Amino acid sequence: MTQLKISAVNLSHSLAYGSSKSNLIQVPCVEIQLSDGQTFKGDGLLTGDETTPPATLAPLVDGLTQTIVGQPAHDFLQLCRLVSQSKYTLNEMRFPDPAQKSADERKKDNRREMLSMLGVLGKEELMPVPTDMTYPMPRHLVRGATAALLRACAHTAGLSTSDYLRNLLSGASEESAKPTKLPLGIHVDFAEHSQLLEHASALCYAIPPVANAKALGKEVEVFQKYLRQLNGWIEDSWSDVEAENRPWLFVDLNGAVHKINNESSGKTLGSLYGFGTTGNQEKMIFSNVVTNTSATTTAKDQVLMQSMTKSRKLKLSLAAGCWTNSLENVQTWLEKAKPKMIVLNLNETASMGELIEMIQQINGSTTELILQGSGCGNQRSWDLLHQVAQAAQPFLYLPAGRLDGTMQVINGRSATA
């Protein structure tokens, strides 16, 4: 059988939701064509706020073409590494760089400057000249290209994208090939939609990163009251279900509580103790309890917090939720902190290949995986992330696409059940 190769790369456009549901945006769509004529698409967006000036589209295509066209479409992870390292070139008007001049040119400049200081010659005005400038491939284009490559490599392997992902993340055993029910996290904003609650494995809430003492209370007592209400609502809504089988409460603290406590680990532990009294703490997960300036320092802080919660006999779970955006950072977390749980935000890592490698590392450890998607994107980009989640078999999945994405997962799951 002839090995399929990448024969062409093109850019088109697709529509997606941006950072808010009301913000409809046009995003670049990477199209990868294989030698059998099949074309596969990947949407170039991560946060939904990226911009791609039209003048850069041709150089971006050239950069990707030089990197991957002609490559065999079978080693997905290696192709993703190539894309992550790819660059593109723009011709821009720039002032000459003195360091790039030859020794003779620098001598002439020095002589002219001396004569101008003596008044013999007028001072030469520097003028910008056309200069080739090389830049790394934009992160959202890396996402689009690697998403398209994932679909292309699955086709080359003669598999559906779902099956290809399952082989990458779960192995090809007969047991792992069986589709499993994804444990879904439903945002509390959607609680009014009672039809969703029967699918909820967890109720989820995230404190805004800019939350302050006014919003949470000087001793975070305002937020503690809100947690008590949430836990009371869970207890009432699932009163006919045993406590251990009720949904989890997943809360992303975004480091806000630690900041309000003046980054005092002792005071933050006190807040966690207070949170634990609001309901069944054995069913509570708190992410991003502490944050710091790097993965290493945050992991060290997390180790201290984990030790303190254990000494206080708290049964709530702490999840690593920041500085989890790269394979290197994930490895740091697993080695330095060995957290019980780790959260990967699906739109924080540009390369789909690196994201897959991060999941492989976590699934090979004793740490539980939580996957969290953002609201931006479209049905095609969300569907790919749903397939990643299904193959990864996480402890919990907070679907990409918020309400629309959650419905997409539920309907897709029931359709294949």
Side-chain angles (χ1 to χ4, degrees), residues 251-373:
V251 181
D252 186 348
L253 294 177
N254 267 312
V257 171
H258 199 49
K259 291 188 182 80
I260 287 175
N261 286 321
N262 297 316
E263 299 186 347
S264 166
S265 296
K267 289 183 178 180
T268 299
L269 176 68
S271 296
L272 289 174
Y273 184 80
F275 297 162
T277 65
T278 63
N280 179 10
Q281 63 173 275
E282 293 188 35
K283 297 288 287 186
M284 295 186 200
I285 303 169
F286 291 94
S287 171
N288 269 336
V289 175
V290 292
T291 60
N292 213 313
T293 54
S294 71
T296 300
T297 53
T298 306
K300 288 180 180 177
D301 292 345
Q302 178 95 352
V303 169
L304 174 61
M305 193 58 65
Q306 288 171 174
S307 174
M308 294 170 73
T309 55
K310 185 177 181 180
S311 67
R312 289 291 295 269
K313 295 183 171 55
L314 294 181
K315 296 180 181 179
L316 46 83
S317 298
L318 303 185
C322 67
W323 295 103
T324 61
N325 58 340
S326 71
L327 179 59
E328 181 183 4
N329 286 345
V330 165
Q331 289 170 334
T332 296
W333 270 109
L334 296 178
E335 292 168 7
K336 304 290 185 184
K338 296 180 175 61
K340 182 177 180 180
M341 297 178 174
I342 191 167
V343 181
L344 296 188
N345 292 287
L346 292 169
N347 288 64
E348 282 190 353
T349 305
S351 168
M352 290 295 295
E354 185 173 13
L355 180 64
I356 296 301
E357 290 184 285
M358 290 156 62
I359 295 172
Q360 289 174 336
Q361 289 277 321
I362 295 166
N363 283 353
S365 72
T366 58
T367 297
E368 295 278 10
L369 172 64
I370 295 175
L371 291 175
Q372 180 168 319

Side-chain angles (χ1 to χ4, degrees), residues 141-159:
L141 264 295
V142 171
R143 169 54 66 94
T146 54
L149 281 170
L150 179 54
R151 296 181 170 108
C153 289
H155 170 74
T156 299
L159 297 170

Side-chain angles (χ1 to χ4, degrees), residues 10-33:
N10 293 294
L11 277 180
S12 59
H13 290 93
S14 56
L15 292 177
Y17 290 112
S19 52
S20 67
K21 180 68 183 290
S22 60
N23 182 23
L24 197 63
I25 58 175
Q26 190 178 65
V27 299
C29 179
V30 180
E31 298 183 353
I32 290 179
Q33 185 175 351

Side-chain angles (χ1 to χ4, degrees), residues 92-102 105-106 109 124-133:
E92 301 175 342
M93 297 300 291
R94 293 292 183 104
F95 287 103
D97 184 355
Q100 300 297 320
K101 291 187 176 182
S102 66
E105 287 174 325
R106 288 198 293 272
D109 288 345
E124 184 181 32
E125 292 292 332
L126 286 177
M127 298 295 292
V129 296
T131 307
D132 283 343
M133 302 297 296

